[in-house]
Amino acid sequence: MNNFLSTTSKLIPLQIIPIQIQKEIEPSDDVVDLISSHSLYHGDVIVVAQKAVSKQEGRIISLQSVKPSNLAEGIASQYGKDSRIVELILSESKRIVRMRDGIIIVKTHHGYVCANAGVDESNVKEGYATLLPLNPDDSARRIRHDIMDKTKKNISVIISDTFGRPFRLGQTDCAIGISGMSPILDYAGVQDSFGRVLRVTAIAVADEIASAAELVMKKTDRCPAAIIRGCKFDVCDVPAISLCRPQDEDLFG
């Protein structure tokens, strides 16, 4: 697939533009209105932090409403965790992948392998936790279509979240929801600078864009979204979950 869309020209360099919102996102807020108030170009990619989407969709849980199971109580006592958080992790998980040194790695119902199933107590009121959107790809599609209706600009949307990496220290943002672009930029069949034909080079461009956006979004600057301008990608609708390696190709699972 070589149907590349880009606002990039020799006059427009790659740009990462923060969208700052000086308030906490509430379920009654219209995230699309907050984003659409910024000038958008055809070909822009809008990266929205998962937590902003989860808050807007009401995926916020009061820990007082959570009744831990016996399994959650047992895991919590073993690892020194809040049993209510452990119960939320279990309820959001398809299976536990690893548990070690207080870290719980799971496969979510979406199919993502991550710590704590995305259950997070940061940047929410004391006594509450956020969960991942029920369907991040659907959320991305909704946001994209609403922005295009309001602005008449052909844009793409990525919903990003912070994931750890099994073989490298530190976390990086990844795409968990996508609309309007392929998560992979496939160079198979393209010649390199020495004339050799590339065969298996497939760049996870959606993850790279999500990580680039995090450079301005950060975690404490009230910047839940960013515009990536001047980036090349394939125009299509391929879900973010397609980035997950199939089980029969997973050498470490």
Side-chain angles (χ1 to χ4, degrees):
M1 182 187 302
N2 292 310
N3 182 21
F4 294 141
L5 173 67
S6 174
T7 55
T8 305
S9 72
K10 293 182 179 178
L11 300 178
I12 303 178
L14 180 66
Q15 299 174 54
I16 309 171
I17 305 163
I19 299 177
Q20 292 186 312
I21 300 172
Q22 297 303 321
K23 68 184 295 298
E24 287 296 321
I25 302 295
E26 303 288 344
S28 58
D29 288 328
D30 190 332
V31 172
V32 170
D33 276 345
L34 298 172
I35 294 171
S36 300
S37 63
H38 290 69
S39 296
L40 300 177
Y41 291 4
H42 288 300
D44 282 351
V45 181
I46 314 300
V47 181
V48 187
Q50 161 269 315
K51 188 154 293 181
V53 177
S54 291
K55 288 179 178 179
Q56 195 274 326
E57 293 183 352
R59 295 281 285 165
I60 306 174
I61 302 293
S62 168
L63 296 183
Q64 289 185 341
S65 69
V66 179
K67 182 175 176 56
S69 62
N70 290 336
L71 177 59
E73 295 277 12
I75 294 173
S77 64
Q78 182 179 358
Y79 289 108
K81 289 181 172 291
D82 186 326
S83 60
R84 299 169 300 178
I85 293 294
V86 175
E87 180 61 33
L88 289 176
I89 293 170
L90 295 177
S91 68
E92 292 292 299
S93 301
K94 184 180 296 184
R95 67 182 178 92
I96 295 173
V97 178
R98 295 283 189 278
M99 291 196 299
R100 179 177 172 182
D101 300 330
I103 299 171
I104 304 175
I105 305 297
V106 305
K107 187 171 189 176
T108 71
H109 293 301
H110 318 83
Y112 293 115
V113 175
C114 59
N116 300 329
V119 177
D120 194 354
E121 295 178 271
S122 65
N123 289 315
V124 289
K125 293 184 293 186
E126 184 73 25
Y128 288 79
T130 56
L131 313 179
L132 295 181
L134 286 172
N135 189 322
D137 285 312
D138 279 352
S139 300
R141 278 191 288 271
R142 172 183 58 81
I143 292 171
R144 177 178 180 243
H145 292 156
D146 288 350
I147 290 176
M148 293 200 316
D149 284 344
K150 286 178 180 293
T151 66
K152 311 305 178 187
K153 303 295 185 184
N154 185 15
I155 55 91
S156 301
V157 169
I158 292 173
I159 295 174
S160 67
D161 195 13
T162 304
F163 279 27
R165 300 171 296 171
F167 305 113
R168 296 179 71 85
L169 295 175
Q171 292 81 40
T172 185
D173 273 27
C174 297
I176 65 168
I178 295 174
S179 181
M181 66 178 293
S182 170
I184 296 289
L185 192 57
D186 192 353
Y187 285 93
V190 177
Q191 290 187 345
D192 67 13
S193 56
F194 291 93
R196 299 184 185 92
V197 176
L198 300 174
R199 299 186 183 279
V200 294
T201 302
I203 303 301
V205 64
D207 284 345
E208 292 187 328
I209 291 173
S211 291
E214 201 280 330
L215 293 173
V216 299
M217 291 162 64
K218 303 182 181 178
K219 303 299 176 192
T220 59
D221 288 354
R222 292 187 181 274
C223 181
I227 303 165
I228 306 295
R229 181 166 296 155
C231 185
K232 184 171 73 172
F233 53 87
D234 286 333
V235 181
C236 60
D237 261 320
V238 179
I241 195 64
S242 65
L243 281 165
C244 293
R245 193 178 299 278
Q247 185 66 38
D248 59 355
E249 295 180 15
D250 187 352
L251 300 180
F252 304 99

